[in-house]
Amino acid sequence: MISYDKVTEIFCIVDEFCREFSKTTQPFLLGNTHRRKPKMSTSEVITITLLFHLSGFRCFKHFYIYYVQKHMQSEFPQTVSYNRFVELMQSTLLPMTVFAKTCCLGECTGISFVDSTPIRVCKNKRIKRNKVFKDVASCGKSTMGWFYGFKLHIVINDKGEILSFCITQANVDDREPLKKESFLQKIFGKLYADKGYISKKLTELLFVDGVHLITHIRNNMKNSLMTLSDKILLRKRSVIETVNDELKNICQVEHSRHRSVINFMTNLVSGIIAYSFLPKKPSIKFETVNSNQLTLF
């Protein structure tokens, strides 16, 4: 399970951010700001939410009732009921999103990979009966077939660190987020993608902003010149597939037990934050031999 040192590390980082976030937002709050404070602080709620994604539990209710309230009383002495905690967890969506965008993203190294992955909210046979995401989610198609839900778009560097992320409906084209300046605001250098991102206009648009989009070519397209290093890194694009797999199977950003859209967003953002705390991430190790050749390990 999670070590005491890891719990302390996560709580200290989250608590420091929450203090700064509270100071910044306090002057802009509307209404009665002197109402009674919850029994558990925002830092404790966010920390427990993140620990769930790192614990290996598949059900948050079991994790909270049978692990946190029984075996983590020394770390969290004033726990509330499960239903009350779910309410407090929904109120942390804004600070968690800001925390993810400001404190949990890596730095661009000039070599980046972009991809999207489907986030299913229910099985296909239950699409017509799903009421939680009515008029919010949509049907889309991936390489694994049709699904109902959303798409998670991420950009990572060669160290496996997430540089940027956004979520769209399932029927949105993969290239649409790249057209938004905010999505690639801190990205520069070469950006490797699959054939779904092929677009001459998009390549020219990104090139003006200092981003060189590199993709494989389709069978019916003319051959184009490409350096050996670019060919090798395109083969290593599977590293972002591994990141998507860890987000889903370790950090559990995808499941079909959501009871509200806010719960879905909270689970997704907290899973992305939890990924940044993983001790080992999928990465590419290489040494530059010359300008056109790489040695990969």
Side-chain angles (χ1 to χ4, degrees):
M1 297 304 294
I2 307 170
S3 63
Y4 175 80
D5 294 337
K6 192 66 175 179
V7 175
T8 306
E9 176 192 355
I10 295 176
F11 177 79
C12 290
I13 296 174
V14 172
D15 187 60
E16 183 179 354
F17 167 80
C18 288
R19 291 176 185 271
E20 293 297 326
F21 181 81
S22 179
K23 290 179 182 178
T24 305
T25 58
Q26 190 68 31
F28 303 97
L29 295 179
L30 300 177
N32 183 14
T33 58
H34 301 286
R35 58 185 178 181
R36 188 176 63 178
K37 293 184 179 179
K39 191 176 179 181
M40 296 187 70
S41 65
T42 304
S43 306
E44 290 178 315
V45 175
I46 294 178
T47 301
I48 292 176
T49 306
L50 297 182
L51 293 178
F52 163 69
H53 293 277
L54 299 171
S55 64
F57 278 80
R58 293 296 175 183
C59 177
F60 182 79
K61 186 175 184 179
H62 292 171
F63 169 74
Y64 183 76
I65 295 176
Y66 299 113
Y67 185 73
V68 175
Q69 290 189 323
K70 287 189 176 182
H71 303 287
M72 301 187 73
Q73 282 297 310
S74 58
E75 291 87 353
F76 306 101
Q78 295 184 329
T79 56
V80 297
S81 65
Y82 171 74
N83 292 335
R84 175 57 178 161
F85 187 87
V86 172
E87 295 176 358
L88 294 176
M89 189 169 59
Q90 293 180 359
S91 65
T92 62
L93 177 57
L94 177 59
M96 274 203 299
T97 305
V98 177
F99 179 65
K101 287 288 187 178
T102 57
C103 303
C104 300
L105 301 181
E107 295 183 359
C108 183
T109 60
I111 298 177
S112 307
F113 302 87
V114 62
D115 195 16
S116 66
T117 183
I119 304 295
R120 299 172 177 84
V121 296
C122 70
K123 295 182 179 179
N124 288 350
K125 62 182 180 181
R126 297 194 179 98
I127 292 178
K128 294 183 179 180
R129 288 181 287 170
N130 188 285
K131 298 180 180 180
V132 176
F133 295 92
K134 185 179 181 181
D135 300 327
V136 179
S138 62
C139 289
K141 189 176 183 180
S142 67
T143 54
M144 301 300 293
W146 290 95
F147 68 97
Y148 181 73
F150 303 89
K151 280 184 181 179
L152 175 63
H153 306 262
I154 62 171
V155 180
I156 68 168
N157 58 17
D158 56 311
K159 300 177 183 178
E161 300 171 336
I162 296 178
L163 305 179
S164 181
F165 67 91
C166 74
I167 186 169
T168 63
Q169 290 184 315
N171 56 2
V172 174
D173 191 277
D174 290 346
R175 294 167 289 192
E176 285 300 317
L178 297 183
K179 299 177 182 179
K180 299 179 180 179
E181 186 178 354
S182 58
F183 185 63
L184 298 177
Q185 187 174 7
K186 298 181 180 179
I187 310 300
F188 60 88
K190 296 183 178 181
L191 181 64
Y192 297 90
D194 58 19
K195 297 179 182 179
Y197 290 85
I198 294 177
S199 173
K200 183 178 179 181
K201 292 183 179 179
L202 180 61
T203 302
E204 294 175 352
L205 179 65
L206 295 179
F207 191 78
V208 174
D209 295 331
V211 179
H212 184 194
L213 181 62
I214 301 174
T215 64
H216 283 293
I217 59 174
R218 294 193 176 97
N219 295 332
N220 59 350
M221 295 175 61
K222 294 183 179 179
N223 197 7
S224 60
L225 295 176
M226 187 181 299
T227 62
L228 180 59
S229 61
D230 290 339
K231 290 183 178 180
I232 295 176
L233 287 172
L234 272 177
R235 295 174 186 172
K236 294 296 178 179
R237 201 194 62 82
S238 59
V239 66
I240 196 170
E241 302 287 351
T242 308
V243 173
N244 287 330
D245 181 73
E246 291 194 357
L247 284 171
K248 289 184 176 181
N249 296 316
I250 297 179
C251 300
Q252 302 178 56
V253 298
E254 179 188 54
H255 68 78
S256 59
R257 302 181 300 276
H258 299 293
R259 295 296 177 265
S260 69
V261 178
I262 297 179
N263 276 343
F264 164 76
M265 294 301 299
T266 303
N267 179 80
L268 180 66
V269 174
S270 58
I272 293 174
I273 297 174
Y275 173 81
S276 67
F277 285 102
L278 292 179
K280 292 184 179 180
K281 300 179 179 65
S283 61
I284 299 175
K285 296 180 180 180
F286 58 87
E287 288 184 354
T288 304
V289 178
N290 54 50
S291 59
N292 293 325
Q293 188 174 0
L294 293 177
T295 300
L296 297 172
F297 297 81

